[in-house]
Every structure is written in C-alpha cells, then in structure tokens.
Amino acid sequence: MSTPSLLILPGDGIGPEVMAEVRKVIDWFGAKRDLAFDVSEDLVGGAAYDAHGVPLSDETMEKAQQVDAVLLGAVGGPQYDDLDFSVKPERGLLRLRKEMDLFSNLRPAQCFDALADFSSLKRDVVSGLDIMIVRELTSGVYFGEPRGIMTEGNERVGINTQRYTESEIARVARSAFELAKRRDNRVCSMEKANVMESGILWREVVQKVHDEEYPDVELSHMYADAGGMQLCRWPKQFDVIVTDNLFGDLLSDVAAMLTGSLGMLPSASLGAPMANGRPKALYEPVHGSAPDIAGQGKANPTACILSFAMALRYSFDLGAEADRLEAAVEQVLAQGVRTADLMQAEGDTPASTAEMGDAIIAALDASL
Ligand code: NAD
C-alpha cells in the first residue's frame, strides 16, 4: 500500500503550538515504528486569510480532498472578529466539513484515571469512563429549510426546520454500528420520537439498519432528554451513542465536561469511504484557538495528540499504535506531568506545551 498521506492545517492561536507537538509524535512513529506518513502542511483560518484573503484557498481544499486524513489545529482570534462573515476564520473549517461531506462526528469522552478529580462528578462515576458520541453533522435543524426570521402579522417569527432523509440517518447509523464493533459492541440511539416525526423516522431507520446489517450489535433507544440525564447519572452505562446534529451538539458537550479539561478532548469527523476504502476524515481537538494563552507555551497539546491517535485508529487501521499513544498519554498524566489547565494546587510549576509533548515522546520510547 502507498504511504498514507496527511494534510496538517495548524491554523491560528495555539493551533501551531499544539501541532508542533503532534509533529514530534508523527516523527516518532516514522523513526521508531517504521510508520512513515506523507505529511504536507498548509494554511487555514485567519492564517489563510492573512496570506490569501480567504480562510481556505481552493488549492488547500483540493489537497484536503485528496489526502487520507486532515489534521487541524484551531481557527479564529479577536483580530478577525470584524471581518465579513464570508471570510471569517471559522468559514474555512465549515468549508472543509461541507465539501468533504463529513456527516459523522465522533466525540469520545474518556476519563483518564489521573484526571478523575477534575470532573464535576464523583470519581467513581467518571473514573475509567470511555464512551463515544456519534453526532450527525451535515443535516438536521442547523441546515433544514425553511429557515429565517419572518414577519407574520405584526410580529416576527424565527424559523428553523428539523429535516432528515432516510439515507442521512442510515449512513450515520452505519458509522455508529461500525464503531461499536471495534469497541464494546453496544449502540444507544437518542432522539425525541415521543414528540418529533423526525425522531420517529430516526428510530425506525436506525432499527432497520441494525436488523438488516448489524444484528449482532446490541441496540437500545432512549429519548435525548433522558439521555442527558443518564449521561450525568451513570455515563458508564453507554458505549456508543448515536444522535442527530442538535442533540449531538448538546450531549457531546455534556459528555465533554465529564472528563475535565478542554485541553484533553479530541474529535474526528468522517465522511463516505474513498476509492481506497478509507473514510474522508478530518481530525481536530475540540478546543478553539485560545487567544488568551496563545504564544505563551501554556497550551495543552494532548487534545491534538489524541486526535492524531484517532487518525491512527480510524483512517490508518493502526489500532494497536493508537492504543500505544493513548497509553503514553495516560502514563504521563499518572506521572503527574500537567500543563497549566490541569493544575490543581497553587504553587506547582506547570509543564509547558513542549515539555508535555516531550514527556509523551519519552513515554512512547518507554513503551518499546
Ligand atoms: P477556546 O476553546 O479557544 O478557549 C476556551 C478556554 O479554554 C480558554 O480559557 C482557553 O485558554 C482554554 N483552552 C482551550 N484550549 C486549551 C488547551 N489546549 N490548553 C489549555 N487551555 C485551553 O474557546 P473560545 O475562547 O470560546 O474561542 C477562542 C477562539 O477560538 C474564537 O475565535 C473561536 O471562534 C475559536 N474557536 C475555534 C474552534 C475550532 O477551531 N474548532 C472551536 C471553538 C472556538
């Protein structure tokens, strides 16, 4: 097979800082595991606007369509706040998601034991937590028509439309079932079939895909509001949760907070399989460009490094190497290495972005 290709888009703010640590990890896999990646790097967001007047050039978009996976840092910053909506940094990211048709957004909520006390929930509720929320990303109420603010009689009315086709539901359901097969083989689908027709259709289609294609995966259904409650009550009951765009937006943020810091959370957005069988894929940390700490060496690079671990697992079928990288992160945390966002006691000296990256490399070395 040809060398797997990776397009790196560091972006703005802390994006380039955390991505520099990912580059160390990529180089480590090349040098120590004989896993070479064909890596190219380009601009996105404000950095692309500064260079080209657009937040994502056509050339970069074209490259993103051709590589096996895209790894993005973060976009945005206060210096771009007054730009026209059409060229704001976030539009670069939205263009990537839209044109690559990345309909399946994977947000893991994994609680490393060493960080269990960072959660707002009790240690025994979150310790060892490892769930995956699959959010439909390209349809639903954020995109449905009609939409807008209209005038009816003598008052205004705000309208958004929840709309899902059977094929849109079926493809994200398949994505969830495929994931479950690599994990604990359980999917819980969440909607509001009690009050929404789109929820009734969602439930029917997920059940049909299950019965016809994945009968061996355990499937349950839950109303999304009850799901939110259960996520806070006993999240370990779940393995994979699949849900629509709006509920997924909310539930994945709830799940994120179970695990502590924003600096720890990776994500993946997957699309249809390409000719080589790999899904179109964009990997990125959940956090933004953190302008308040940019350029100070304070950013936690772990979320971006764990996003690369997801790329190893889901784009390159290197699950054992992804396990190795995640175990290295776990070990570094267990050793007490902490960036500033993970500090609890006043007076402790935090690790810098580069020191955190170096500690992860040392743990990778120790894994050999
Ligand atoms: P943010 O995620 O950038 O920051 C929120 C808080 O978390 C800040 O205090 C920040 O210092 C901290 N933080 C975030 N990542 C961290 C890390 N890796 N290590 C340590 N601390 C970290 O969100 P925001 O402040 O609301 O937005 C800042 C900019 O980022 C805005 O321009 C926003 O539009 C953009 N943004 C981009 C993305 C993206 O690129 N996917 C996502 C969210 C926000």
Side-chain angles (χ1 to χ4, degrees):
M1 207 190 263
S2 61
T3 309
S5 54
L6 198 55
L7 173 62
I8 288 189
L9 302 173
D12 309 321
I14 61 168
E17 297 169 49
V18 295
M19 199 60 86
E21 303 312 306
V22 179
R23 291 298 287 251
K24 288 181 189 168
V25 171
I26 295 171
D27 290 347
W28 185 89
F29 277 99
K32 302 286 174 70
R33 301 295 298 154
D34 203 17
L35 292 169
F37 293 92
D38 178 4
V39 182
S40 53
E41 188 166 318
D42 216 321
L43 302 174
V44 70
Y49 177 81
D50 290 340
H52 307 300
V54 285
L56 187 79
S57 70
D58 292 343
E59 293 72 30
T60 311
M61 186 66 242
E62 183 61 30
K63 262 192 235 170
Q65 296 282 21
Q66 279 160 10
V67 291
D68 293 315
V70 179
L71 190 60
L72 186 138
V75 297
Q79 66 273 47
Y80 305 110
D81 281 352
D82 295 332
L83 288 181
D84 185 73
F85 184 70
S86 63
V87 288
K88 277 194 184 291
E90 292 74 13
R91 302 300 298 175
L93 180 52
L94 293 176
R95 181 176 178 197
L96 281 165
R97 287 180 184 159
K98 183 162 187 285
E99 294 192 21
M100 292 169 76
D101 198 13
L102 303 171
F103 58 84
S104 178
N105 182 219
L106 278 48
R107 294 264 303 256
Q110 196 174 3
C111 185
F112 292 100
D113 214 38
L115 298 184
D117 293 327
F118 271 84
S119 172
S120 49
L121 300 188
K122 292 195 194 93
R123 168 174 270 276
D124 70 314
V125 175
V126 293
S127 173
L129 178 73
D130 180 11
I131 63 180
M132 177 74 82
I133 301 205
V134 179
R135 165 189 172 193
E136 199 290 328
L137 198 61
T138 52
S139 185
V141 74
Y142 293 158
F143 296 94
E145 298 283 347
R147 63 182 298 162
I149 300 177
M150 330 271 177
T151 302
E152 267 180 22
N154 58 4
E155 67 172 348
R156 293 184 304 158
V157 52
I159 298 176
N160 290 93
T161 302
Q162 167 85 331
R163 181 180 190 278
Y164 270 108
T165 64
E166 289 180 294
S167 54
E168 286 169 341
I169 301 168
R171 65 183 187 173
V172 74
R174 280 189 197 101
S175 173
F177 287 125
E178 286 295 333
L179 271 170
K181 285 192 340 190
R182 295 162 177 241
R183 297 171 47 94
D184 200 33
N185 214 35
R186 292 182 293 125
V187 171
C188 180
S189 170
M190 295 190 186
E191 28 54 21
K192 290 279 288 176
N194 48 345
V195 286
M196 296 171 76
E197 285 75 8
S198 57
I200 296 174
L201 186 71
W202 182 281
R203 189 176 281 221
E204 280 177 15
V205 173
V206 171
Q207 188 68 51
K208 185 162 181 276
V209 170
H210 169 267
D211 295 350
E212 291 177 358
E213 300 172 42
Y214 301 93
D216 296 334
V217 178
E218 189 183 310
L219 171 66
S220 58
H221 302 275
M222 199 178 274
Y223 297 138
D225 49 343
M229 217 164 61
Q230 292 299 332
L231 267 175
C232 296
R233 192 186 70 83
W234 191 242
K236 285 188 241 180
Q237 69 186 280
F238 299 113
D239 177 24
V240 174
I241 292 172
V242 63
T243 189
D244 72 16
N245 203 341
L246 174 62
F247 296 139
D249 197 0
L250 306 183
L251 293 172
S252 60
D253 273 15
V254 171
M257 280 338 289
L258 302 176
T259 67
S261 168
L262 208 48
M264 296 296 301
L265 294 167
S267 79
S269 301
L270 307 180
M274 299 182 282
N276 61 12
R278 292 176 170 139
K280 285 236 161 113
L282 170 75
Y283 299 89
E284 56 179 322
V286 168
H287 63 72
S289 59
D292 53 334
I293 56 166
Q296 301 170 36
K298 288 184 182 169
N300 184 351
T302 311
C304 205
I305 289 173
L306 290 175
S307 300
F308 177 63
M310 291 186 83
L312 290 174
R313 192 182 304 283
Y314 299 117
S315 279
F316 304 123
D317 251 327
L318 293 168
E321 300 301 335
D323 287 346
R324 180 192 296 280
L325 182 49
E326 287 167 359
V329 168
E330 171 117 58
Q331 196 191 327
V332 164
L333 295 171
Q335 286 162 357
V337 182
R338 299 273 190 280
T339 41
D341 56 310
L342 302 176
M343 303 298 294
Q344 273 173 322
E346 296 266 325
D348 288 349
T349 311
S352 68
T353 309
E355 284 164 350
M356 189 73 178
D358 290 343
I360 292 170
I361 295 292
L364 282 170
D365 275 335
S367 76
L368 294 176

